Amino acid sequence: MTDDPRPAGQTIGLAVPIPEPYGSELQDWRRSFGDPLADAIPAHITLLPPRFIADADRPGLYEHLDKVASRFAPFRVHLRGTATFLPVSPVVFVALAQGISACERLSDAIRTGPLDVELSFPYHPHVTVAHHVSEEAMDNAFDTLAGYDAGFDVAAFSLYEHGDDGYWRRERDFVLTGEAARV
């Protein structure tokens, strides 16, 4: 018997999954830098950080995310080079050279209604490749992937669930079905 006052539910996150072959490649690099979470977290661009959702709130959550997805058209992401959040946070990441504003708008739209949350830090789309590693490993990650370059189309965002085993698993995709902006 537990004294957990929370209702039944799950910790979720929303993200743009990095497609193959880039997803496995970046996850392999993260592992090579000694990141302890490399196997537990698939390569992704976070749209909503981890948040607990009660099971009873799932239908409304899915409805909200379907509506958000219907308002956004597919977009292009171009990953290029590395950057860091030091000295604020010990993270090295692959930067977005294209797709930043689309991710920002999508994240803003997701964080409304049942997911109306204030972020601890300003939103900055990125792909983490080293976190909770030594300074030497961070420098290695920064230098090794400085020339990284990959591009892909984003046609959906995904809901991930955090399992009791500490692993994040992709559970559901929300296809972007909105029309492209007219220029």
Side-chain angles (χ1 to χ4, degrees):
M1 184 174 197
T2 69
D3 293 332
D4 189 349
R6 292 190 306 184
Q10 188 74 38
T11 298
I12 64 151
L14 292 156
V16 171
I18 306 302
E20 295 303 333
Y22 314 115
S24 293
E25 179 181 64
L26 289 169
Q27 202 160 350
D28 289 345
W29 278 115
R30 188 171 181 171
R31 188 179 306 107
S32 79
F33 301 133
D35 190 312
L37 297 177
D39 291 320
I41 305 173
H44 68 281
I45 301 165
T46 299
L47 296 170
L48 177 79
R51 176 182 170 116
F52 180 82
I53 296 294
D55 289 343
D57 295 334
R58 285 283 180 138
L61 171 70
Y62 292 155
E63 182 180 334
H64 169 69
L65 295 173
D66 282 333
K67 284 181 184 176
V68 169
S70 75
R71 296 188 350 242
F72 285 83
F75 59 94
R76 184 92 178 146
V77 164
H78 185 170
L79 302 175
R80 184 172 53 215
T82 52
T84 181
F85 289 129
L86 285 172
V88 176
S89 180
V91 173
V92 173
F93 58 88
V94 172
L96 274 69
Q98 181 181 1
I100 295 170
S101 64
C103 287
E104 288 172 339
R105 290 189 319 264
L106 188 53
S107 176
D108 286 346
I110 286 169
R111 290 183 289 105
T112 61
L115 296 174
D116 186 11
V117 295
E118 191 169 316
L119 299 177
S120 302
F121 298 99
Y123 178 73
H124 182 82
H126 65 281
V127 181
T128 298
V129 291
H131 191 201
H132 300 298
V133 298
S134 69
E135 188 175 324
E136 181 181 340
M138 288 194 53
D139 290 345
N140 184 28
F142 188 90
D143 293 341
T144 300
L145 294 177
Y148 192 82
D149 191 81
F152 55 90
D153 293 321
V154 175
F157 63 90
S158 301
L159 182 141
Y160 289 81
E161 289 186 357
H162 191 244
D164 292 337
D165 59 1
Y167 282 70
W168 286 92
R169 291 177 181 82
R170 190 167 155 187
E171 294 297 324
R172 183 169 171 176
D173 294 336
F174 296 87
V175 177
L176 305 176
T177 58
E179 292 186 32
R182 291 178 173 71
V183 193

Short mmCIF file of all heavy atoms in Angstrom, two decimals, residues 58-114:
data_model
loop_
_atom_site.label_atom_id
_atom_site.label_comp_id
_atom_site.label_asym_id
_atom_site.label_seq_id
_atom_site.Cartn_x
_atom_site.Cartn_y
_atom_site.Cartn_z
N ARG A 58 -6.11 11.99 -19.92
CA ARG A 58 -5.60 11.57 -21.23
C ARG A 58 -6.50 11.96 -22.40
O ARG A 58 -6.01 12.48 -23.40
CB ARG A 58 -5.36 10.06 -21.28
CG ARG A 58 -4.14 9.60 -20.55
CD ARG A 58 -2.89 9.89 -21.36
NE ARG A 58 -1.74 9.44 -20.62
CZ ARG A 58 -0.73 8.80 -21.14
NH1 ARG A 58 -0.70 8.54 -22.42
NH2 ARG A 58 0.28 8.44 -20.40
N PRO A 59 -7.81 11.69 -22.33
CA PRO A 59 -8.65 12.04 -23.49
C PRO A 59 -8.56 13.53 -23.84
O PRO A 59 -8.44 13.89 -25.02
CB PRO A 59 -10.06 11.65 -23.04
CG PRO A 59 -9.85 10.58 -22.02
CD PRO A 59 -8.59 10.98 -21.29
N GLY A 60 -8.61 14.40 -22.86
CA GLY A 60 -8.50 15.84 -23.12
C GLY A 60 -7.14 16.22 -23.64
O GLY A 60 -7.00 17.10 -24.49
N LEU A 61 -6.11 15.54 -23.15
CA LEU A 61 -4.75 15.78 -23.62
C LEU A 61 -4.63 15.42 -25.09
O LEU A 61 -4.12 16.21 -25.90
CB LEU A 61 -3.76 14.95 -22.80
CG LEU A 61 -2.33 14.92 -23.30
CD1 LEU A 61 -1.66 16.27 -23.10
CD2 LEU A 61 -1.54 13.81 -22.59
N TYR A 62 -5.11 14.24 -25.46
CA TYR A 62 -5.03 13.81 -26.86
C TYR A 62 -5.83 14.75 -27.77
O TYR A 62 -5.38 15.09 -28.87
CB TYR A 62 -5.53 12.38 -27.03
CG TYR A 62 -4.65 11.34 -26.39
CD1 TYR A 62 -5.17 10.12 -26.00
CD2 TYR A 62 -3.29 11.56 -26.18
CE1 TYR A 62 -4.37 9.14 -25.42
CE2 TYR A 62 -2.49 10.60 -25.60
CZ TYR A 62 -3.03 9.39 -25.22
OH TYR A 62 -2.24 8.43 -24.66
N GLU A 63 -7.00 15.17 -27.32
CA GLU A 63 -7.80 16.11 -28.11
C GLU A 63 -7.03 17.41 -28.33
O GLU A 63 -6.99 17.94 -29.44
CB GLU A 63 -9.13 16.38 -27.39
CG GLU A 63 -10.05 17.30 -28.17
CD GLU A 63 -11.36 17.55 -27.42
OE1 GLU A 63 -11.77 16.70 -26.61
OE2 GLU A 63 -11.94 18.61 -27.65
N HIS A 64 -6.43 17.93 -27.27
CA HIS A 64 -5.63 19.16 -27.37
C HIS A 64 -4.48 18.99 -28.37
O HIS A 64 -4.27 19.84 -29.24
CB HIS A 64 -5.09 19.53 -25.98
CG HIS A 64 -4.06 20.60 -25.98
ND1 HIS A 64 -4.35 21.91 -26.30
CD2 HIS A 64 -2.73 20.56 -25.71
CE1 HIS A 64 -3.24 22.63 -26.22
NE2 HIS A 64 -2.25 21.83 -25.87
N LEU A 65 -3.75 17.89 -28.26
CA LEU A 65 -2.59 17.68 -29.13
C LEU A 65 -3.00 17.44 -30.58
O LEU A 65 -2.31 17.89 -31.50
CB LEU A 65 -1.74 16.54 -28.59
CG LEU A 65 -1.10 16.82 -27.22
CD1 LEU A 65 -0.41 15.57 -26.68
CD2 LEU A 65 -0.15 18.00 -27.29
N ASP A 66 -4.12 16.77 -30.80
CA ASP A 66 -4.64 16.61 -32.17
C ASP A 66 -4.96 17.98 -32.79
O ASP A 66 -4.67 18.23 -33.96
CB ASP A 66 -5.89 15.72 -32.18
CG ASP A 66 -5.58 14.24 -32.06
OD1 ASP A 66 -4.48 13.81 -32.47
OD2 ASP A 66 -6.45 13.50 -31.56
N LYS A 67 -5.59 18.86 -31.98
CA LYS A 67 -5.92 20.20 -32.48
C LYS A 67 -4.66 20.99 -32.79
O LYS A 67 -4.59 21.68 -33.82
CB LYS A 67 -6.77 20.96 -31.46
CG LYS A 67 -8.21 20.51 -31.41
CD LYS A 67 -9.00 21.31 -30.40
CE LYS A 67 -10.42 20.78 -30.29
NZ LYS A 67 -11.19 21.48 -29.24
N VAL A 68 -3.67 20.91 -31.92
CA VAL A 68 -2.41 21.62 -32.18
C VAL A 68 -1.80 21.11 -33.48
O VAL A 68 -1.42 21.90 -34.35
CB VAL A 68 -1.42 21.45 -31.00
CG1 VAL A 68 -0.02 21.94 -31.37
CG2 VAL A 68 -1.93 22.18 -29.76
N ALA A 69 -1.72 19.80 -33.63
CA ALA A 69 -1.10 19.22 -34.83
C ALA A 69 -1.84 19.63 -36.10
O ALA A 69 -1.22 19.83 -37.15
CB ALA A 69 -1.06 17.70 -34.71
N SER A 70 -3.15 19.81 -36.00
CA SER A 70 -3.94 20.18 -37.18
C SER A 70 -3.67 21.61 -37.64
O SER A 70 -4.01 21.98 -38.76
CB SER A 70 -5.43 19.98 -36.92
OG SER A 70 -5.93 21.01 -36.08
N ARG A 71 -3.07 22.40 -36.78
CA ARG A 71 -2.80 23.81 -37.11
C ARG A 71 -1.40 24.04 -37.67
O ARG A 71 -1.08 25.15 -38.10
CB ARG A 71 -2.99 24.68 -35.87
CG ARG A 71 -4.41 24.68 -35.35
CD ARG A 71 -4.70 25.67 -34.24
NE ARG A 71 -3.58 26.34 -33.62
CZ ARG A 71 -3.25 26.22 -32.32
NH1 ARG A 71 -3.95 25.44 -31.52
NH2 ARG A 71 -2.23 26.89 -31.84
N PHE A 72 -0.56 23.00 -37.67
CA PHE A 72 0.83 23.17 -38.10
C PHE A 72 1.13 22.31 -39.31
O PHE A 72 0.76 21.14 -39.37
CB PHE A 72 1.79 22.80 -36.96
CG PHE A 72 1.86 23.85 -35.89
CD1 PHE A 72 0.90 23.88 -34.89
CD2 PHE A 72 2.84 24.82 -35.92
CE1 PHE A 72 0.94 24.86 -33.91
CE2 PHE A 72 2.88 25.80 -34.94
CZ PHE A 72 1.93 25.82 -33.94
N ALA A 73 1.84 22.92 -40.26
CA ALA A 73 2.29 22.20 -41.45
C ALA A 73 3.63 21.54 -41.16
O ALA A 73 4.38 21.98 -40.28
CB ALA A 73 2.44 23.18 -42.61
N PRO A 74 3.95 20.48 -41.89
CA PRO A 74 5.30 19.91 -41.78
C PRO A 74 6.35 20.98 -42.04
O PRO A 74 6.09 21.97 -42.75
CB PRO A 74 5.31 18.83 -42.86
CG PRO A 74 3.87 18.44 -43.01
CD PRO A 74 3.12 19.74 -42.82
N PHE A 75 7.52 20.78 -41.46
CA PHE A 75 8.60 21.76 -41.62
C PHE A 75 9.95 21.06 -41.68
O PHE A 75 10.06 19.87 -41.38
CB PHE A 75 8.57 22.82 -40.52
CG PHE A 75 8.70 22.28 -39.11
CD1 PHE A 75 9.94 22.22 -38.48
CD2 PHE A 75 7.59 21.84 -38.40
CE1 PHE A 75 10.07 21.75 -37.19
CE2 PHE A 75 7.70 21.36 -37.10
CZ PHE A 75 8.94 21.31 -36.49
N ARG A 76 10.96 21.80 -42.07
CA ARG A 76 12.31 21.27 -42.22
C ARG A 76 13.15 21.63 -41.01
O ARG A 76 13.08 22.74 -40.50
CB ARG A 76 12.94 21.87 -43.49
CG ARG A 76 14.31 21.33 -43.81
CD ARG A 76 14.20 20.16 -44.74
NE ARG A 76 15.53 19.66 -45.10
CZ ARG A 76 15.78 18.40 -45.31
NH1 ARG A 76 14.83 17.51 -45.23
NH2 ARG A 76 17.00 18.00 -45.62
N VAL A 77 13.96 20.67 -40.55
CA VAL A 77 14.96 20.90 -39.51
C VAL A 77 16.32 20.63 -40.11
O VAL A 77 16.52 19.64 -40.82
CB VAL A 77 14.73 20.00 -38.27
CG1 VAL A 77 15.96 19.96 -37.38
CG2 VAL A 77 13.53 20.49 -37.48
N HIS A 78 17.24 21.54 -39.85
CA HIS A 78 18.63 21.35 -40.25
C HIS A 78 19.47 21.45 -38.98
O HIS A 78 19.47 22.48 -38.32
CB HIS A 78 19.04 22.44 -41.25
CG HIS A 78 20.41 22.26 -41.80
ND1 HIS A 78 20.86 23.00 -42.85
CD2 HIS A 78 21.44 21.46 -41.46
CE1 HIS A 78 22.11 22.65 -43.14
NE2 HIS A 78 22.47 21.71 -42.29
N LEU A 79 20.13 20.36 -38.64
CA LEU A 79 21.03 20.32 -37.49
C LEU A 79 22.43 20.64 -37.97
O LEU A 79 22.89 20.07 -38.97
CB LEU A 79 21.02 18.93 -36.84
CG LEU A 79 19.68 18.39 -36.37
CD1 LEU A 79 19.84 16.95 -35.87
CD2 LEU A 79 19.09 19.27 -35.29
N ARG A 80 23.10 21.56 -37.25
CA ARG A 80 24.46 21.90 -37.67
C ARG A 80 25.27 22.41 -36.49
O ARG A 80 24.88 23.38 -35.83
CB ARG A 80 24.45 22.95 -38.78
CG ARG A 80 25.85 23.24 -39.31
CD ARG A 80 25.89 24.11 -40.53
NE ARG A 80 25.14 25.33 -40.32
CZ ARG A 80 24.45 25.95 -41.26
NH1 ARG A 80 24.38 25.44 -42.47
NH2 ARG A 80 23.82 27.06 -41.00
N GLY A 81 26.38 21.76 -36.23
CA GLY A 81 27.34 22.22 -35.23
C GLY A 81 26.88 21.99 -33.80
O GLY A 81 25.83 21.41 -33.53
N THR A 82 27.72 22.44 -32.87
CA THR A 82 27.45 22.25 -31.45
C THR A 82 27.40 23.57 -30.71
O THR A 82 27.89 24.59 -31.19
CB THR A 82 28.55 21.37 -30.80
OG1 THR A 82 29.84 21.93 -31.10
CG2 THR A 82 28.47 19.94 -31.26
N ALA A 83 26.81 23.51 -29.54
CA ALA A 83 26.74 24.65 -28.63
C ALA A 83 26.58 24.08 -27.22
O ALA A 83 26.49 22.85 -27.04
CB ALA A 83 25.58 25.58 -28.99
N THR A 84 26.54 24.96 -26.23
CA THR A 84 26.41 24.51 -24.85
C THR A 84 25.55 25.48 -24.06
O THR A 84 25.41 26.65 -24.46
CB THR A 84 27.80 24.35 -24.19
OG1 THR A 84 27.63 23.90 -22.84
CG2 THR A 84 28.58 25.65 -24.20
N PHE A 85 25.00 24.99 -22.97
CA PHE A 85 24.25 25.84 -22.05
C PHE A 85 25.11 26.28 -20.86
O PHE A 85 24.60 26.88 -19.93
CB PHE A 85 22.99 25.12 -21.53
CG PHE A 85 21.92 24.95 -22.57
CD1 PHE A 85 21.34 23.71 -22.79
CD2 PHE A 85 21.46 26.03 -23.31
CE1 PHE A 85 20.33 23.54 -23.72
CE2 PHE A 85 20.45 25.87 -24.26
CZ PHE A 85 19.89 24.63 -24.47
N LEU A 86 26.41 25.96 -20.89
CA LEU A 86 27.29 26.42 -19.82
C LEU A 86 27.31 27.94 -19.75
O LEU A 86 27.20 28.59 -20.78
CB LEU A 86 28.72 25.91 -20.05
CG LEU A 86 28.97 24.45 -19.76
CD1 LEU A 86 30.35 24.03 -20.21
CD2 LEU A 86 28.78 24.13 -18.28
N PRO A 87 27.38 28.57 -18.62
CA PRO A 87 27.59 27.99 -17.30
C PRO A 87 26.27 27.65 -16.58
O PRO A 87 26.29 27.17 -15.46
CB PRO A 87 28.31 29.10 -16.55
CG PRO A 87 27.72 30.35 -17.11
CD PRO A 87 27.45 30.04 -18.57
N VAL A 88 25.13 27.87 -17.22
CA VAL A 88 23.84 27.65 -16.58
C VAL A 88 23.58 26.15 -16.36
O VAL A 88 23.09 25.75 -15.32
CB VAL A 88 22.70 28.29 -17.39
CG1 VAL A 88 21.34 27.98 -16.79
CG2 VAL A 88 22.90 29.80 -17.48
N SER A 89 23.89 25.34 -17.36
CA SER A 89 23.62 23.91 -17.28
C SER A 89 24.72 23.15 -18.04
O SER A 89 25.10 23.56 -19.14
CB SER A 89 22.25 23.61 -17.90
OG SER A 89 21.94 22.26 -17.84
N PRO A 90 25.22 22.05 -17.48
CA PRO A 90 26.30 21.30 -18.12
C PRO A 90 25.79 20.40 -19.25
O PRO A 90 25.71 19.18 -19.12
CB PRO A 90 26.88 20.47 -16.96
CG PRO A 90 25.69 20.23 -16.07
CD PRO A 90 24.85 21.49 -16.18
N VAL A 91 25.45 21.04 -20.36
CA VAL A 91 24.89 20.34 -21.51
C VAL A 91 25.62 20.78 -22.77
O VAL A 91 25.84 21.97 -22.98
CB VAL A 91 23.38 20.66 -21.68
CG1 VAL A 91 22.83 20.06 -22.97
CG2 VAL A 91 22.59 20.16 -20.48
N VAL A 92 25.97 19.82 -23.62
CA VAL A 92 26.45 20.09 -24.97
C VAL A 92 25.37 19.56 -25.90
O VAL A 92 24.82 18.48 -25.68
CB VAL A 92 27.80 19.41 -25.27
CG1 VAL A 92 28.17 19.58 -26.75
CG2 VAL A 92 28.89 19.99 -24.39
N PHE A 93 25.06 20.35 -26.93
CA PHE A 93 23.99 19.93 -27.84
C PHE A 93 24.35 20.24 -29.27
O PHE A 93 25.22 21.07 -29.56
CB PHE A 93 22.67 20.60 -27.46
CG PHE A 93 22.68 22.10 -27.45
CD1 PHE A 93 22.41 22.84 -28.60
CD2 PHE A 93 22.94 22.81 -26.28
CE1 PHE A 93 22.39 24.22 -28.59
CE2 PHE A 93 22.93 24.19 -26.25
CZ PHE A 93 22.66 24.90 -27.42
N VAL A 94 23.65 19.54 -30.18
CA VAL A 94 23.70 19.85 -31.60
C VAL A 94 22.64 20.91 -31.82
O VAL A 94 21.50 20.79 -31.36
CB VAL A 94 23.46 18.60 -32.47
CG1 VAL A 94 23.33 18.98 -33.94
CG2 VAL A 94 24.60 17.60 -32.28
N ALA A 95 23.03 21.97 -32.51
CA ALA A 95 22.17 23.13 -32.70
C ALA A 95 21.29 23.00 -33.94
O ALA A 95 21.63 22.27 -34.88
CB ALA A 95 23.03 24.39 -32.81
N LEU A 96 20.18 23.71 -33.91
CA LEU A 96 19.32 23.81 -35.09
C LEU A 96 19.74 25.04 -35.89
O LEU A 96 19.82 26.13 -35.33
CB LEU A 96 17.85 23.95 -34.70
CG LEU A 96 17.07 22.66 -34.45
CD1 LEU A 96 17.54 21.97 -33.19
CD2 LEU A 96 15.59 22.96 -34.39
N ALA A 97 19.99 24.84 -37.17
CA ALA A 97 20.28 25.95 -38.07
C ALA A 97 19.02 26.34 -38.83
O ALA A 97 18.91 27.44 -39.36
CB ALA A 97 21.38 25.57 -39.05
N GLN A 98 18.06 25.43 -38.88
CA GLN A 98 16.77 25.66 -39.54
C GLN A 98 15.71 24.93 -38.73
O GLN A 98 15.96 23.83 -38.24
CB GLN A 98 16.80 25.14 -40.97
CG GLN A 98 15.51 25.36 -41.75
CD GLN A 98 15.60 24.79 -43.17
OE1 GLN A 98 16.60 24.23 -43.58
NE2 GLN A 98 14.53 24.94 -43.92
N GLY A 99 14.53 25.52 -38.60
CA GLY A 99 13.44 24.89 -37.88
C GLY A 99 13.25 25.45 -36.48
O GLY A 99 12.35 25.01 -35.77
N ILE A 100 14.07 26.40 -36.09
CA ILE A 100 13.98 26.97 -34.74
C ILE A 100 12.61 27.60 -34.51
O ILE A 100 11.93 27.28 -33.53
CB ILE A 100 15.10 28.01 -34.49
CG1 ILE A 100 16.46 27.34 -34.51
CG2 ILE A 100 14.88 28.72 -33.15
CD1 ILE A 100 17.63 28.31 -34.52
N SER A 101 12.19 28.49 -35.38
CA SER A 101 10.92 29.19 -35.15
C SER A 101 9.73 28.24 -35.22
O SER A 101 8.77 28.38 -34.47
CB SER A 101 10.74 30.37 -36.12
OG SER A 101 10.65 29.91 -37.45
N ALA A 102 9.79 27.23 -36.09
CA ALA A 102 8.70 26.25 -36.16
C ALA A 102 8.60 25.48 -34.85
O ALA A 102 7.50 25.26 -34.33
CB ALA A 102 8.90 25.30 -37.34
N CYS A 103 9.73 25.07 -34.29
CA CYS A 103 9.73 24.37 -33.00
C CYS A 103 9.24 25.29 -31.89
O CYS A 103 8.47 24.85 -31.02
CB CYS A 103 11.13 23.85 -32.67
SG CYS A 103 11.64 22.41 -33.65
N GLU A 104 9.65 26.55 -31.91
CA GLU A 104 9.20 27.50 -30.89
C GLU A 104 7.69 27.68 -30.93
O GLU A 104 7.02 27.64 -29.90
CB GLU A 104 9.89 28.85 -31.08
CG GLU A 104 11.34 28.85 -30.71
CD GLU A 104 12.06 30.14 -31.08
OE1 GLU A 104 11.57 30.90 -31.97
OE2 GLU A 104 13.12 30.41 -30.50
N ARG A 105 7.15 27.87 -32.13
CA ARG A 105 5.70 28.06 -32.26
C ARG A 105 4.94 26.81 -31.84
O ARG A 105 3.90 26.89 -31.18
CB ARG A 105 5.34 28.46 -33.70
CG ARG A 105 5.80 29.88 -34.07
CD ARG A 105 5.23 30.33 -35.41
NE ARG A 105 5.25 29.29 -36.43
CZ ARG A 105 6.19 29.14 -37.35
NH1 ARG A 105 7.18 29.98 -37.42
NH2 ARG A 105 6.13 28.16 -38.22
N LEU A 106 5.45 25.65 -32.23
CA LEU A 106 4.81 24.39 -31.87
C LEU A 106 4.85 24.18 -30.36
O LEU A 106 3.84 23.83 -29.74
CB LEU A 106 5.51 23.23 -32.61
CG LEU A 106 4.88 21.86 -32.52
CD1 LEU A 106 3.42 21.86 -32.93
CD2 LEU A 106 5.68 20.89 -33.41
N SER A 107 5.98 24.43 -29.74
CA SER A 107 6.10 24.30 -28.29
C SER A 107 5.14 25.26 -27.58
O SER A 107 4.46 24.88 -26.61
CB SER A 107 7.54 24.57 -27.85
OG SER A 107 7.65 24.54 -26.44
N ASP A 108 5.07 26.50 -28.05
CA ASP A 108 4.14 27.48 -27.45
C ASP A 108 2.70 27.01 -27.55
O ASP A 108 1.93 27.14 -26.59
CB ASP A 108 4.27 28.84 -28.15
CG ASP A 108 5.53 29.60 -27.78
OD1 ASP A 108 6.20 29.22 -26.79
OD2 ASP A 108 5.85 30.57 -28.48
N ALA A 109 2.32 26.46 -28.70
CA ALA A 109 0.94 25.99 -28.89
C ALA A 109 0.64 24.77 -28.01
O ALA A 109 -0.45 24.65 -27.46
CB ALA A 109 0.69 25.66 -30.36
N ILE A 110 1.61 23.90 -27.87
CA ILE A 110 1.43 22.71 -27.02
C ILE A 110 1.23 23.14 -25.57
O ILE A 110 0.38 22.59 -24.87
CB ILE A 110 2.64 21.76 -27.15
CG1 ILE A 110 2.58 21.04 -28.51
CG2 ILE A 110 2.70 20.77 -25.99
CD1 ILE A 110 3.84 20.28 -28.88
N ARG A 111 1.98 24.14 -25.13
CA ARG A 111 1.93 24.58 -23.73
C ARG A 111 0.77 25.54 -23.47
O ARG A 111 0.91 26.58 -22.84
CB ARG A 111 3.26 25.21 -23.32
CG ARG A 111 4.38 24.19 -23.22
CD ARG A 111 5.71 24.76 -22.76
NE ARG A 111 6.32 25.59 -23.80
CZ ARG A 111 6.36 26.91 -23.80
NH1 ARG A 111 5.85 27.60 -22.81
NH2 ARG A 111 6.93 27.56 -24.79
N THR A 112 -0.42 25.15 -23.94
CA THR A 112 -1.66 25.87 -23.66
C THR A 112 -2.68 24.85 -23.16
O THR A 112 -2.40 23.65 -23.14
CB THR A 112 -2.20 26.57 -24.94
OG1 THR A 112 -2.49 25.58 -25.93
CG2 THR A 112 -1.21 27.59 -25.48
N GLY A 113 -3.86 25.32 -22.81
CA GLY A 113 -4.93 24.40 -22.39
C GLY A 113 -4.48 23.50 -21.26
O GLY A 113 -3.92 23.96 -20.28
N PRO A 114 -4.64 22.18 -21.43
CA PRO A 114 -4.30 21.25 -20.34
C PRO A 114 -2.80 21.16 -20.07
O PRO A 114 -2.39 20.60 -19.07
CB PRO A 114 -4.85 19.91 -20.83
CG PRO A 114 -4.91 20.03 -22.31
CD PRO A 114 -5.19 21.48 -22.59
#
